[in-house]
Amino acid sequence: EVHLVESGGGLVHPGGSLRLTCVASGFTFSSAEMTWVRQAPGKGLEWIASITPSGLIAQYANSVKDRFFISRDNAENTVWLHLNRLSSDDTAVYYCATTIGLRDHRGQGTQVTVSS
């Protein structure tokens, strides 16, 4: 069974930084593209970033490009999302996600709140 467990969220001041962690299990992590998505209050899911199985290629939404960075360690079955220069628009629940066998999986999410 696929498990994705996020952590690292919290309350941060505008301009601050956080690192979100997602630990995966139940599938061959090194073969899976990994994604971070978020859901702001009252809004739908927004794709943020994806990273290829090898970790060599990452893609970002325009809203976070040059501020957020995705990375992974296949030996640790872990993917991270580094959030920098945060603003109130980044307040959301952040989810780690992947697609295994045509089925989408997401973790329980971690709340990021940006407020002064």
Side-chain angles (χ1 to χ4, degrees):
E1 183 178 359
V2 173
H3 276 107
L4 301 168
V5 181
E6 302 95 336
S7 62
L11 175 63
V12 61
H13 292 308
S17 299
L18 281 175
R19 188 182 73 167
L20 306 183
T21 300
C22 172
V23 179
S25 62
F27 62 100
T28 305
F29 182 79
S30 59
S31 298
E33 179 170 297
M34 299 301 297
T35 293
W36 284 93
V37 298
R38 68 184 180 186
Q39 187 165 25
K43 297 187 177 181
L45 280 174
E46 176 188 14
W47 171 75
I48 294 299
S50 292
I51 188 167
T52 56
S54 67
L56 292 178
I57 299 174
Q59 294 178 300
Y60 300 93
N62 287 336
S63 58
V64 306
K65 194 173 293 184
D66 298 327
R67 297 189 302 123
F68 291 9
F69 299 94
I70 188 171
S71 61
R72 69 188 292 163
D73 184 338
N74 288 343
E76 298 294 329
N77 282 14
T78 300
V79 58
W80 296 275
L81 185 68
H82 307 257
L83 291 67
N84 301 302
R85 305 202 316 269
L86 286 160
S87 73
S88 58
D89 290 341
D90 297 314
T91 293
V93 179
Y94 285 72
Y95 300 93
C96 172
T98 191
T99 300
I100 303 295
L102 301 180
R103 180 179 173 185
D104 295 332
H105 299 270
R106 262 191 292 153
Q108 84 290 346
T110 186
Q111 175 71 48
V112 172
T113 302
V114 184
S115 175
S116 55

